[in-house]
Amino acid sequence: MARELTLRIFRYDPLNPESKPCFVDYKMEETPRLNLFVALHRVREKQAPDLQFDFVCRAGVCGSCGMMINGRPTLACRTLTAELPETITLAPMPAFKLIGDLSVDTGTWFRGMSERVESWIHTQKEFDPKAEEQRMDDGTAQKIYELERCIECGCCVAGCATANIREDFLGATALNRIGRFMLDPRDERDSEDWFELVATDEGVFGCMGLMGCDDVCPKELPLLEVFAYMRRRMSQVAAGRAKADAGTSQPVIT
Amino acid sequence: MAKAGPSKEITHHEGELTATRDRARRQWKLDAISTGTGVFLALFMWGHMFFVSSILTGERGFNWISDLFEHYWLAQPTLVVVTIVFFVHFVTASRKIPAKFAERRRVKKLGDDISHSKWNISKQERRELDKVRPHKETSLWIWQVRSGMIILALGSVHLFVVIADVVQRTFDIGEGLGINAAETMARVQGGMWILYAILLYAVEVHAGIGLYRVTVKWGLGAKIPIIGSRITRGMAQKMERIVLWFFLIIGFITLLVMAGVIDPPLEFLLPPLPVAS
Ligand code: HEM
Ligand code: SF4
Ligand code: SF4
Ligand code: FES
């Protein structure tokens, strides 16, 4: 027998002064292999035409549909209702600006993040369009690719206790991005440059290591490993600098 | 913020650059100190457990070790260093505890929600999921904070008592007995066992979780020398559990001996001296 589902959805329109934040229940019959992407569209078609939520690819690729599903930040398009109990509570992700109902503005956040970590290759080399592309060994390329798989869904930020209570915290996806450029041999930023960006309370030493990010990342990025690598590398930098301070002009480990 | 490449000169005055670097340096230092002191204390507690459990061989072994330590001035400097490290760790590690109640509640709520508690998956599936993506970390951390607070309270009492003992012998005050089995056992039997039982449990839990977290935070993905494989979360968890139970069991047997509930199980190694008639 098909279950009757209750979608308990957070409703609030910040632009409408009469709107008050509340949860509204929508009932529907469960159909085989129903996922939340389809379920939410049914609600919008039949019951609440003004319901706001985001979807683009419905295949776990674009990162638009992150929301709190029974308290856990994850991609709605990849969540089957069969995995959930009959009452499904849907709320917008915290830590981002609310657009309305389930829709949040991850775009502005990610744009700011990219600017803050200067998410581009820093190089002094003149670009020569005619030259052959610079070669990179397979191992490095694969490592970088692994971290590049981030779809900017924001789940790791919503699931991070530190990001939830501290607005200035960079967040897992930003640290992951930094790790990606640290690994890239074409980026000329040196350890000292990285140090002041990540070795702070807003960076990796503000992270409490509660691992919410690693546990919710829908792309299963090795976030914790990236952080451990950063902590080690930053400590090498600090140790190298301590030596330099003491007079032996040892080069900083890179 | 980090600037390299062409934008360096434009965005930073020299002074500003030094200021952000110094700030980063300070914050790195504080984190490294809280981790370093934590690891130091955990290693010290293992050594400590080893020496205290000398009571398992009877009073003679215990007294021999404490006499040795105090006579050769090993106990005194260790006490000073450990007391200082204890408070430095408390101050630096507490930085990570959110100051507001609402923030602490938020941390707990997120942890509870993420752990699939309201997901309709079978127990077996949950166990399978836990294997790949275990989620106990938030509650582990909360217990680390709680056990830390217990250690702060009870550990201070314990440190005070031990310092008083050692000072008495070192400076020949009062009876000047120093640390000795008879007095320790009398204290334990007189009611202090409650304090020690709670302190023992809190310390082992705190050190176990702490070492696990240090491994995950700093070591994940690093190659283990000789064996050659990389450190994983599962590995660290297993290790933590073994160490935790090992020291908990030894600790509680030691406490039972001190409380006079059981006889020293290893007394045959060091039989008591015949009483001179
Ligand atoms: C004075 C009482 C103590 C308090 C209030 C306290 C508190 C804390 C707190 C809040 C943390 C978490 C820090 C973080 O998340 O980064 C921590 C970490 C730790 N503590 Fe303690 N602690 C105390 C005593 C001890 C003792 C006696 C030991 C040794 C047995 C110890 C070993 C550790 C270790 C190994 C860590 C892990 C460090 C890390 O995660 O970076 N602590 N402590
Ligand atoms: S490990 Fe760090 S970044 Fe990840 S959720 Fe925890 S505090 Fe946030
Ligand atoms: S790291 Fe994972 S959870 Fe975070 S934004 Fe990228 S894909 Fe999403
Ligand atoms: S709709 Fe693109 S990830 Fe869900």
Side-chain angles (χ1 to χ4, degrees), chain A residues 110 149-156 173 176 217-219 221 223:
Chain A
F110 274 93
R149 292 190 301 113
C150 170
I151 56 172
E152 305 200 348
C153 62
C155 291
C156 58
T173 172
N176 175 69
C217 174
K219 304 309 275 186
L221 259 59
L223 297 170

Side-chain angles (χ1 to χ4, degrees), chain A residues 203-219:
Chain A
V204 76
F205 293 116
C207 159
M208 297 208 287
L210 301 189
M211 303 161 209
C213 56
D214 198 87
D215 286 326
V216 300
C217 174
K219 304 309 275 186

